[in-house]
Amino acid sequence: YGDHRDLHLCDRRQRQMCIRDRYQRRVRGIASSAYVRRVDAEWNKITATGVTLVASSGDQGAPGDTYASDCSALSDIYPGGSPWVLSVGATMLSDAAPKVPFPPGYLPPKVCTEKPCSKVLHEVACSIPEALITSGGGFSAYEPMPAWQKKAVHAYLNDKSVVFPPASMFNARNRAFPDVAAIGHAILIGINQQMIQVDGTSCSAPEVAAMIALINGARADKGKSFMGFINPFVYDVFDKDKTAFKDITQGNNKCSEGCCSQTGAGFEATAGYDAVTGLGAFVFSKIMQHAMALP
């Protein structure tokens, strides 16, 4: 598929059941509707085998790569906007939030003796200039809204307290993304025998993929099937148990590396679903509990 990279194939034979995909295409002008339909057909086949697809929602905010220099409009992303993937946005810890002491008896990891580790728990949408990236999100250019997300997204679209971009900038009847979010700022990684900090939805997406892999492993140990196409399950859990998600209600995705929109080209985080951080961040223990309750 052209410029794809860092595509993690996790199938039944490896006892890993998720794919975390990092490549993204700007949809308008690069990926045609025929291309999207053709690749979606393959994603559909993959999920039918019991594999979960996880994709990042992009790092240039709602303007995306297409409008990263002037933030004059909204851009779609693919496959982060595909209905066959679990689309993952990024959050960051708020510098303005109060610090929380480590609980009694907690032993911080060794790296915290070498580098400062955050004691902040409050998450907001990941955005420039505080971070190096802005979490992508919005509405697909081509693909209609799937049934499993309609209730959550319609509640968002009908919320009179939310300020949306001009209606001419996006198709509110199409697939909304991301679905969920996870920390994507100041992630410590090891590379070339050094520890460095990085940002990106390419951090948050594999975090979510790892959680799904742990869920699949736990289910496999009980003789249960893999989660496979997980999106309907995620939205169903949100509908039944809001405590299974950490709601992200602060921040927006109006900035790219080159600008911040002055024309409303972007979305704002709010209570419930939003096109910045989706349903919010997994509360892993709760998601695991709901997943294990499935047959």
Side-chain angles (χ1 to χ4, degrees), residues 74-102:
L74 301 176
S75 177
D76 193 3
I77 203 83
Y78 190 83
S82 169
W84 295 106
V85 308
L86 186 71
S87 182
V88 182
T91 67
M92 61 184 180
L93 298 175
S94 172
D95 291 336
K99 294 183 179 180
V100 178
F102 290 131

Side-chain angles (χ1 to χ4, degrees), residues 147-162:
W148 38 262
Q149 73 167 183
K150 283 185 176 180
K151 183 175 181 179
V153 178
H154 285 169
Y156 167 55
L157 293 170
N158 292 326
D159 188 341
K160 302 302 181 183
S161 68
V162 178

Side-chain angles (χ1 to χ4, degrees), residues 21-158:
D21 167 42
R22 181 174 173 267
Y23 96 93
Q24 299 289 355
R25 281 181 177 266
R26 293 169 287 172
V27 174
R28 292 184 179 88
I30 294 182
S32 67
S33 59
Y35 172 88
V36 168
R37 287 196 303 271
R38 179 66 184 87
V39 179
D40 267 353
E42 300 307 314
W43 296 151
N44 186 1
K45 294 175 187 177
I46 292 172
T47 59
T49 69
V51 172
T52 301
L53 298 172
V54 181
S56 56
S57 67
D59 293 347
Q60 293 279 18
D65 291 334
T66 306
Y67 303 104
S69 61
D70 60 14
C71 294
S72 61
L74 301 176
S75 177
D76 193 3
I77 203 83
Y78 190 83
S82 169
W84 295 106
V85 308
L86 186 71
S87 182
V88 182
T91 67
M92 61 184 180
L93 298 175
S94 172
D95 291 336
K99 294 183 179 180
V100 178
F102 290 131
Y106 174 75
L107 294 176
K110 182 181 178 181
V111 70
C112 291
T113 65
E114 303 168 358
K115 294 182 179 293
C117 291
S118 177
K119 293 184 179 180
V120 172
L121 298 179
H122 183 64
E123 294 177 56
V124 298
C126 188
S127 178
I128 295 168
E130 291 80 8
L132 298 177
I133 64 105
T134 297
S135 179
F139 290 78
S140 171
Y142 301 129
E143 299 172 285
M145 187 181 297
W148 38 262
Q149 73 167 183
K150 283 185 176 180
K151 183 175 181 179
V153 178
H154 285 169
Y156 167 55
L157 293 170
N158 292 326

Side-chain angles (χ1 to χ4, degrees), residues 164-221:
F164 289 98
S168 60
M169 285 189 172
F170 68 102
N171 189 338
R173 294 172 297 180
N174 282 357
R175 194 269 204 262
F177 69 97
D179 298 304
V180 295
I183 294 287
H185 171 57
I187 302 297
L188 197 63
I189 66 169
I191 185 170
N192 295 331
Q193 298 184 336
Q194 293 183 341
M195 302 299 288
I196 63 171
Q197 287 185 344
V198 296
D199 287 18
T201 49
S202 290
C203 298
S204 57
E207 291 166 19
V208 171
M211 285 187 267
I212 296 171
L214 289 173
I215 289 171
N216 282 331
R219 285 180 56 82
D221 288 343

